[in-house]
Amino acid sequence: MSRHVVVMGVSGSGKSTIAALVAERVGWTFADADSFHPPANIDKMRAGIPLTDADRRPWLLALAEWMAEQGRQGHSTVLACSALMRSYRDLLSGRTEVAFIHLHGPAELIEARMRARDHFMPPSLLTSQFAILEELQEDELGVALDLALSPEELVDAAVDWMGRGPLESCGPQD
Ligand SMILES: Nc1ncnc2c1ncn2[C@@H]1O[C@H](COP(=O)(O)OP(=O)(O)OP(=O)(O)O)[C@@H](O)[C@H]1O
Ligand SMILES: O=C(O)[C@H](O)[C@@H](O)[C@H](O)[C@H](O)CO
């Protein structure tokens, strides 16, 4: 059976970095949700304008369909996607079961990392990301990890969590 993990968090929290490393470690298919945004969404963010629910909805539905389609082909996936609100996560898990790994940490550290990289997402949008962020709730399948850890430590912790409980026996596809 295929399994699906979303590495979530605000912009600059390390989703793309950690999700790609986790996917490589377990041999699952990786995607970055940024590459599913229509150009209008990217233009908006580049201009420093936060996306709205209406901007995000078709994007989230396309991501849910991508995971379901990968699953139908027998592939497990690791997706880097902000998934900031509970309602967004519910859309993502509407087609297939999804587990969430939240990269969690202070705005100051994230902002410093954002300033040090070259990316369309301006650090000025970080406040709007934190404003709508909803932590994982008790009835959601997920875990929060401290993004201050090194990438290696985060990948170890993520894979360790994935190997326990509902995602056990994660590993390369047969
Ligand atoms: N654990 C870490 N320790 C130190 N630096 C990190 C860590 N994780 C990511 N970084 C660095 O922080 C920056 C932000 O990481 P990354 O681009 O992966 O975040 P993101 O959440 O995918 O951002 P966005 O959603 O805006 O695309 C990058 O320059 C990356 O190299
Ligand atoms: O929901 C959102 O506002 C978006 O997903 C953003 O978080 C960006 O796509 C990403 O974080 C920037 O690269």
Side-chain angles (χ1 to χ4, degrees), residues 9-13 15-16 32-35 37 41-42 45 49-52 56 59-60 63 80-84 88 114 117 119-122 125 128-129 132:
V10 297
S11 180
S13 58
K15 305 180 294 288
S16 311
D32 194 326
D34 275 352
S35 63
H37 274 304
N41 282 5
I42 302 282
M45 290 187 277
I49 304 167
L51 300 181
T52 63
R56 291 186 179 108
W59 169 69
L60 291 163
L63 292 165
C81 176
S82 46
L84 297 175
Y88 299 169
M114 287 177 85
R117 73 176 181 173
H119 195 279
F120 69 81
M121 188 77 172
L125 276 181
S128 66
Q129 297 260 300
I132 62 165

Side-chain angles (χ1 to χ4, degrees), residues 6-106:
V6 169
V7 179
M8 59 165 280
V10 297
S11 180
S13 58
K15 305 180 294 288
S16 311
T17 306
I18 304 307
L21 291 170
V22 168
E24 191 182 318
R25 174 86 72 87
V26 298
W28 295 4
T29 304
F30 165 75
D32 194 326
D34 275 352
S35 63
F36 287 67
H37 274 304
N41 282 5
I42 302 282
D43 289 348
K44 232 175 148 173
M45 290 187 277
R46 200 188 300 279
I49 304 167
L51 300 181
T52 63
D53 281 359
D55 294 326
R56 291 186 179 108
R57 187 180 168 83
W59 169 69
L60 291 163
L61 291 172
L63 292 165
E65 176 51 29
W66 178 79
M67 287 187 278
E69 176 56 24
Q70 291 294 318
R72 285 193 289 274
Q73 295 177 21
H75 304 306
S76 293
T77 64
V78 185
L79 175 68
C81 176
S82 46
L84 297 175
M85 296 179 68
R86 171 66 190 258
S87 60
Y88 299 169
R89 297 192 288 274
D90 288 346
L91 285 176
L92 286 170
S93 38
R95 309 290 303 271
T96 186
E97 186 175 50
V98 175
F100 294 92
I101 295 176
H102 181 193
L103 299 179
H104 191 276

Side-chain angles (χ1 to χ4, degrees), residues 110-118 123-124:
I110 297 169
E111 192 184 342
R113 288 182 184 172
M114 287 177 85
R115 291 198 184 284
R117 73 176 181 173
D118 180 25
S124 61

